[in-house]
Amino acid sequence: MKSSLTALAETAKLQTASLKQLTKAQGVTVAEWQLLIQLNTGANTQEKLATAMQLDTSTLSRQLASLVKKEKLSKEAVGRDRRQLVYTITPAGLTALKAINAAYEQFEADVFDKWPQDEQNLLRILLNRLNKSVSRILEP
């Protein structure tokens, strides 16, 4: 039997591969999908997005530019000097976001289809406990 952390790592790889397929079908990357999620919750400037996503501004700028090029986002210069940009999800971006979210929810439902609710709840509890244990060890 595999160790818990090995099994978790293998599951994470499978989940990542599935996410890549789901997002690729909508013409975006996983990172771009995560940006769309943040934008949809109201983080609409680079500063807000950088904080929410814990990304450096150069990485964030590239991802935002890619979404604008793919017409999933629009941008508008605001302020006195017109240097701050406000990003808005376009109808195409919202369609992609909704499609990916629905596909991911279906994936999750399929994964846990045969699991009783009490086992699903226990798994969540144990994974949260594992996350806290690993975080505690890695804290400086």
Side-chain angles (χ1 to χ4, degrees):
M1 181 180 277
K2 298 174 190 171
S3 76
S4 297
L5 292 178
T6 299
L8 190 61
E10 288 178 10
T11 302
K13 285 180 187 178
L14 294 170
Q15 188 253 3
T16 298
S18 176
L19 264 180
K20 285 179 182 179
Q21 274 187 317
L22 297 177
T23 56
K24 186 177 181 181
Q26 296 300 317
V28 297
T29 66
V30 174
E32 290 169 344
W33 171 55
Q34 292 169 336
L35 269 175
L36 289 172
I37 291 169
Q38 290 300 319
L39 282 153
N40 198 46
T41 61
N44 62 353
T45 64
Q46 277 195 342
E47 183 179 326
K48 290 176 184 176
L49 288 165
T51 300
M53 305 276 305
Q54 298 179 340
L55 290 173
D56 63 86
T57 54
S58 63
T59 301
L60 181 59
S61 293
R62 283 191 302 277
Q63 291 173 351
L64 290 168
S66 176
L67 284 168
V68 169
K69 185 177 179 181
K70 293 175 182 180
E71 299 181 347
K72 307 294 185 192
L73 292 183
S74 62
K75 63 181 177 179
E76 179 184 356
V78 295
R80 269 188 301 213
D81 60 4
R82 313 278 296 162
R83 290 194 304 174
Q84 182 173 18
L85 298 173
V86 173
Y87 293 89
T88 306
I89 300 177
T90 64
L94 196 54
T95 298
L97 176 62
K98 287 179 180 179
I100 296 165
N101 287 348
Y104 188 73
E105 286 175 17
Q106 185 59 53
F107 170 73
E108 190 171 12
D110 292 344
V111 167
F112 293 106
D113 180 48
K114 304 287 188 237
W115 288 50
Q117 191 62 48
D118 61 330
E119 288 183 1
Q120 292 180 51
N121 293 340
L122 179 60
L123 178 62
R124 278 188 209 98
I125 290 167
L126 293 173
L127 288 172
N128 285 327
R129 186 179 299 167
L130 176 65
N131 189 38
K132 287 178 185 174
S133 294
V134 171
S135 295
R136 193 174 337 124
I137 291 170
L138 296 178
E139 286 176 356

